[in-house]
Amino acid sequence: MPMGCQLPIIRLLAGLLLAATLTACPPDTPSDVVDLPVVAPTPPPGGADPSTFRERVFYELWVRSYQDSNGDGIGDLKGLEQRLDMLAKLGIGGIWLMPTFPSPLQDSGYDVANYRDVHPDYGSVADLERVIEAAHDRGMLVWLDMVFNHVSDLHPWFQNALTNPAAPTRDWFVWSPEPTTRCVDVPNQFTPFGTDRWTWSDEIGAWYFHQFYPRQPDLNFRNPAVQEELLDTLRYWMDLGVDGFRFDVPDRFFENGHRCAMQPETVEFHGRMRELISGRGRLDRGFVGEIWGVQDEVRTFFGPAGDPAIFAFEWLAALWTGAVVGESGTVLAKAARTHLAGLPAESRWGLILGNHDTPRIGSIAGGDVSRLKLAAALQLTLPGIPFVWAGEELGLEMGTSFLVDGRDGARTPMPWEADAPGLGFTTADTPFLAFSPDSAAKAQDRQAADPESLWHWYRRLIMLRNAEPALHGAEYRELAADGNIYVFERGQGQDRRIVAFNLSRTASRRWVGPAVEADDLLGGGRHRLRDLHLPPASVRILAPR
Ligand code: NOJ
Ligand code: CA
């Protein structure tokens, strides 16, 4: 890959900037790149302890872009229910649904107008209950996306506050006669929101505070009624069978003057949420926090044992480097070292290759399937909870039409059937958002028919991970790391497994490991670790004898 092409990507990694549009670099696929070996899928999950969320592979999806069941061009809950078998087939152990609540969709549902209902485009609360039950029948957990920092301006709490000076919810928002310099300690990482934090309300004759779009007024967490209402919302959904939550920017609930993230009051509120969700030994329940920032600060949100997960956005930067650039063993090893040092035994990082906010890994890797296979192997063998973003298993690249902002490029509808009108996503003439240009070529049915496809690769890795306690546990030891080589050990004793990467695009490498033989769980056969041959862009998952 020419350096001029790498540099913008590296800057992107370093800053974790969410580009409104992504200019993908042309793939660099030298002819001697050896594709990864393919074997028949391993048996269905069975190794993972079904009672806890920590060992599972999660899958993030937007109901709106997953499967339309009634021909209106919009994905819905009945459609999702039809696709649960497919997710189970992939080995997925839990699904995180992007916000499913009523919303004017000024921020794709992250502007909630009612926390206890379902958006009519998606169906009803009963439909969601059916999805939960059907997921449970297939051994999958269901997590909802909870956006507590702010609401939609159409939420009755805000509407009442605007129209009725005596409304109790007036104080549920933050008002000021002047647009002060509140909350400037962290720049908003999501570029589309701009830097304005205050919007004038004619109705009130005052400014209201918001950290995101103006139509997303911030909730005033200093009002105890706000806290109680939100905790009650969690109870409501858990009573309906929900197993956990992804929390939207949960480091930003309280502000203190110029500081708007990571405040002690916010950490304390987390403790209350944790107690409610996973306290009293409910290890089947959990949550993951979307906390951007430097990982040693972010760690503040891990509490004592039994704690939930936090997305490792800094680690993501290293994974992107590993996927795209190659020559990155040292970068990857350093990211693992810093994230895992001193981590409480029960805590987990949420490992992602992207999500609904970031550019798609498919585009970042320029569509190069051999790099995408390496990226998936990293995500699925390093310690943590992998969250696969819908479409990554197909290698989808960014779409080019947007509804709200450039992030829509990563949220295009799922292509299920290459030759069906509406690609099997919808029978409508037009889906609510255009498919990404590569969708037909990468449709799920086409990949299911090709044993060497990325989809099969994901399936084999996830099945293997599910079946191998070493791969879904917490132990990790670095064995080797240089420019191209990255080797680590997972698990211990009889169960220990060695994962060996050669990240180079072109050069074969040898790793001089211990004087034992090991079975290759991915590629088949047996290898001497003393002289382990690693073809370019390859990974071996090894069981030492
Ligand atoms: C983070 C979410 O991931 C993003 O999509 C959303 O726009 C902001 N929080 C505001 O809710
Ligand atoms: Ca529909």
Side-chain angles (χ1 to χ4, degrees):
M1 178 181 286
M3 210 48 198
C5 192
Q6 283 180 15
L7 277 178
I9 293 173
I10 295 167
R11 272 189 220 117
L12 191 76
L13 303 175
L16 286 172
L17 294 175
L18 301 172
T21 50
L22 183 82
T23 312
C25 294
D28 168 24
T29 43
S31 55
D32 57 346
V33 165
V34 176
D35 204 359
L36 298 157
V38 175
V39 293
T42 47
D49 177 348
S51 68
T52 91
F53 67 89
R54 291 188 183 81
E55 290 75 15
R56 293 159 183 260
V57 176
F58 276 74
Y59 186 93
E60 179 198 2
L61 64 93
W62 193 21
V63 170
R64 201 171 191 80
S65 58
Y66 211 61
Q67 177 67 58
D68 175 20
S69 74
N70 62 353
D72 64 359
I74 300 173
D76 45 55
L77 288 162
K78 286 203 168 76
L80 169 58
E81 195 179 334
Q82 294 163 14
R83 291 295 177 192
L84 289 176
D85 281 333
M86 188 67 84
L87 288 169
K89 197 167 176 187
L90 202 56
I92 297 302
I95 51 178
W96 146 28
L97 309 183
M98 272 174 72
T100 44
F101 312 104
S103 161
L105 301 173
Q106 297 298 303
D107 187 12
S108 306
Y110 288 93
D111 45 334
V112 177
N114 182 345
Y115 287 106
R116 300 190 188 206
D117 205 348
V118 161
H119 195 297
D121 287 350
Y122 306 152
S124 61
V125 172
D127 291 331
L128 182 50
E129 284 182 275
R130 258 194 305 279
V131 165
I132 295 168
E133 208 181 305
H136 287 174
D137 288 346
R138 290 160 179 76
M140 279 184 269
L141 305 175
V142 179
W143 286 14
L144 297 188
D145 204 325
M146 282 298 174
V147 191
F148 281 174
N149 178 68
H150 45 267
V151 294
S152 155
D153 63 341
L154 295 192
H155 197 297
W157 299 342
F158 192 68
Q159 286 299 312
N160 289 339
L162 287 184
T163 51
N164 173 10
T169 59
R170 188 83 173 254
D171 184 53
W172 288 29
F173 300 92
V174 182
W175 305 96
S176 170
E178 299 291 338
T180 65
T181 53
R182 183 184 178 92
C183 182
V184 289
D185 61 330
V186 282
N188 199 328
Q189 72 277 13
F190 302 109
T191 46
F193 301 110
T195 49
D196 284 349
R197 296 280 200 243
W198 295 94
T199 292
W200 175 256
S201 155
D202 277 338
E203 290 93 333
I204 303 284
W207 301 79
Y208 67 86
F209 176 67
H210 52 85
Q211 294 201 37
F212 296 92
Y213 280 126
R215 293 195 55 188
Q216 293 170 296
D218 255 52
L219 282 167
N220 173 18
F221 270 74
R222 301 210 179 269
N223 186 322
V226 169
Q227 296 189 29
E228 292 316 315
E229 174 61 31
L230 296 176
L231 292 174
D232 231 34
T233 304
L234 299 180
R235 283 188 200 99
Y236 171 81
W237 288 110
M238 289 190 295
D239 287 349
L240 289 183
V242 166
D243 306 288
F245 305 94
R246 176 265 189 189
F247 283 113
D248 190 75
V249 292
D251 54 322
R252 296 177 179 229
F253 293 161
F254 287 83
E255 299 86 26
N256 283 310
H258 288 192
R259 303 181 58 81
C260 69
M262 319 254 176
Q263 295 304 287
E265 298 92 326
T266 304
V267 175
E268 203 225 309
F269 187 71
H270 263 249
R272 295 186 68 194
M273 297 200 301
R274 192 164 47 228
E275 179 57 25
L276 185 63
I277 298 167
S278 51
R280 300 176 206 91
R282 287 296 306 257
L283 292 184
D284 52 335
R285 287 211 201 125
F287 67 86
V288 62
E290 184 226 12
I291 305 176
W292 292 77
V294 187
Q295 63 92 14
D296 46 1
E297 261 181 42
V298 167
R299 273 166 182 256
T300 330
F301 287 87
F302 284 125
D307 265 10
I310 302 177
F311 286 120
F313 291 111
E314 259 196 300
W315 210 337
L316 169 65
L319 293 176
W320 280 358
T321 308
V324 183
V325 183
E327 307 279 325
S328 50
T330 44
V331 176
L332 286 161
K334 185 172 171 218
R337 237 178 275 141
T338 54
H339 280 79
L340 297 171
L343 190 71
E346 298 300 330
S347 300
R348 294 287 183 280
W349 293 105
L351 292 182
I352 59 170
L353 294 178
N355 65 20
H356 62 282
D357 287 325
T358 70
R360 276 198 177 278
I361 182 82
S363 290
I364 289 171
D368 182 338
V369 173
S370 67
R371 304 313 295 182
L372 292 174
K373 286 181 171 177
L374 284 183
L378 286 164
Q379 183 192 21
L380 291 162
T381 58
L382 284 165
I385 303 176
F387 288 80
V388 176
W389 165 228
E392 281 174 355
E393 75 277 29
L394 304 179
L396 286 189
E397 296 178 48
M398 295 292 274
T400 47
S401 37
F402 314 132
L403 296 172
V404 177
D405 54 52
R407 293 174 298 165
D408 286 326
R411 304 170 183 180
T412 55
M414 282 290 280
W416 294 105
E417 296 164 44
D419 299 322
L423 299 184
F425 165 72
T426 184
T427 54
D429 290 341
T430 348
F432 77 98
L433 173 66
F435 291 101
S436 61
D438 57 337
S439 287
K442 293 177 181 166
Q444 194 276 335
D445 64 342
R446 204 163 268 188
Q447 298 208 32
D450 171 7
E452 305 217 6
S453 69
L454 185 62
W455 183 84
H456 271 290
W457 177 250
Y458 266 86
R459 182 163 187 249
R460 285 168 47 207
L461 277 172
I462 296 172
M463 293 298 181
L464 182 57
R465 187 185 191 279
N466 287 343
E468 292 286 335
L471 295 180
H472 56 245
E475 287 100 7
Y476 164 92
R477 280 170 303 282
E478 181 185 316
L479 298 183
D482 66 24
N484 291 324
I485 291 288
Y486 182 32
V487 186
F488 52 84
E489 190 175 57
R490 305 290 320 276
Q492 50 193 338
Q494 285 297 321
D495 282 341
R496 90 199 149 99
R497 300 288 177 255
I498 290 174
V499 187
F501 286 89
N502 177 3
L503 299 156
S504 168
R505 291 175 168 267
T506 49
S508 290
R509 284 291 305 264
R510 290 194 184 279
W511 176 57
V512 182
V516 292
E517 296 207 325
D519 294 322
D520 188 334
L521 301 180
L522 211 46
R526 195 184 299 173
H527 305 283
R528 287 189 312 126
L529 297 188
R530 202 80 191 132
D531 185 23
L532 182 70
H533 173 66
L534 294 165
S538 70
V539 55
R540 297 194 194 281
I541 301 179
L542 301 151
R545 294 195 151 224

